[in-house]
Amino acid sequence: EPEVTQTPSHQVTQMGQEVILRCVPISNHLYFYWYRQILGQKVEFLVSFYNNEISEKSEIFDDQFSVERPDGSNFTLKIRSTKLEDSAMYFCASSYRLRGRPVAFQETQYFGPGTRLLVL
Amino acid sequence: GQQVMQIPQYQHVQEGEDFTTYCNSSTTLSNIQWYKQRPGGHPVFLIQLVKSGEVKKQKRLTFQFGEAKKNSSLHITATQTTDVGTYFCAGPLGAGGTSYGKLTFGQGTILTVHP
């Protein structure tokens, strides 16, 4: 069964450093997402991406964050200058679109295994 | 702001007992989704409910969507140790609840099952 993959699984960085988290969404999916989960807390939406542009972002996704689809398979999240509070598990997710679905139906988002980011 | 509330935060049960978690939204939802996250794992999609009053079953799991489409529940009959994990509800809040937009997750219910 196809799955979303993420690299690295763990990343340790110093405060102020830039990090790039990488994701390979499921190949026929068109919608891509980043979520984060601070240890012991709920999953929080960061950003959604479609057709090579951001379609929605949360208040968390400030100017320090950016996303990119550099080629046909990868989807990246960059944090320009990490802060201690950026320490979290970052999940990438992807979904596809089927024609003829009812408007109320939302395509399933498939989550990757996550990257655990620790900022020291 | 718009949010999804989930109770209880924790539930400890003996194997064989039933378990229920409840989800409430501050606004009407076009759909509600349930995810399971095993310890150390990632959220795994369980089900989506769309219709008012909808009830769906997956083996020992029963999912309900309220008539007003603002609340939902997940009930597990006769829990097993494999049911251990955090159960999250999630819905497309905000921005009109687009079909391909963000999911807003509840805080989750952590289920532990004692053998």
Side-chain angles (χ1 to χ4, degrees):
Chain A
E1 186 177 317
E3 55 186 23
V4 176
T5 59
Q6 288 185 244
T7 54
S9 58
H10 295 79
Q11 174 94 50
V12 180
T13 190
Q14 295 289 326
M15 191 169 58
Q17 294 296 303
E18 174 184 287
V19 294
I20 298 176
L21 310 183
R22 292 183 165 80
C23 168
V24 179
I26 295 173
S27 63
N28 63 340
H29 286 189
L30 301 175
Y31 298 84
F32 314 115
Y33 312 85
W34 284 101
Y35 291 82
R36 79 170 187 191
Q37 186 178 32
I38 295 170
L39 188 63
Q41 297 187 23
K42 66 178 180 180
V43 178
E44 299 175 291
F45 170 80
L46 293 177
V47 66
S48 59
F49 190 87
Y50 170 69
N51 202 26
N52 282 320
E53 59 183 27
I54 290 173
S55 45
E56 198 169 1
K57 60 183 181 179
S58 72
E59 312 79 47
I60 304 168
F61 195 88
D62 61 23
D63 292 343
Q64 292 301 312
F65 290 86
S66 62
V67 288
E68 195 178 31
R69 187 149 163 86
D71 53 44
S73 59
N74 289 284
F75 179 51
T76 62
L77 174 69
K78 182 194 290 187
I79 309 175
R80 257 180 279 281
S81 178
T82 50
K83 306 191 248 320
L84 296 176
E85 54 265 36
D86 293 327
S87 296
M89 180 72 94
Y90 288 80
F91 293 108
C92 173
S94 69
S95 67
Y96 63 105
R97 177 179 183 177
L98 281 179
R99 292 180 183 276
R101 290 278 209 196
V103 172
F105 188 89
Q106 187 163 14
E107 299 297 346
T108 299
Q109 294 181 24
Y110 294 86
F111 283 72
T115 293
R116 184 168 294 285
L117 177 65
L118 178 61
V119 182
L120 302 176
Chain B
Q2 296 172 323
Q3 54 185 332
V4 176
M5 304 296 294
Q6 200 174 342
I7 57 169
Q9 189 176 1
Y10 302 95
Q11 187 80 59
H12 312 284
V13 299
Q14 287 293 129
E15 191 172 20
E17 290 181 340
D18 293 355
F19 159 76
T20 305
T21 173
Y22 301 90
C23 182
N24 285 285
S25 167
S26 56
T27 59
T28 301
L29 297 168
S30 57
N31 67 76
I32 188 84
Q33 300 175 43
W34 286 91
Y35 284 78
K36 177 182 178 181
Q37 185 177 29
R38 292 185 186 277
H42 59 280
V44 175
F45 174 80
L46 293 177
I47 207 159
Q48 179 175 172
L49 305 172
V50 176
K51 298 176 186 173
S52 169
E54 188 170 13
V55 177
K56 285 189 176 179
K57 292 193 176 190
Q58 288 179 351
K59 296 182 181 177
R60 294 178 294 104
L61 277 61
T62 302
F63 303 85
Q64 289 189 309
F65 200 9
E67 293 291 338
K69 300 183 75 172
K70 294 178 75 172
N71 58 74
S72 181
S73 65
L74 157 59
H75 179 83
I76 303 178
T77 305
T79 54
Q80 299 175 359
T81 54
T82 52
D83 295 325
V84 162
T86 303
Y87 292 86
F88 292 98
C89 61
L93 268 70
T98 58
S99 296
Y100 311 100
K102 70 176 187 180
L103 285 174
T104 298
F105 281 76
Q107 298 95 320
T109 296
I110 300 171
L111 173 65
T112 54
V113 180
H114 301 286

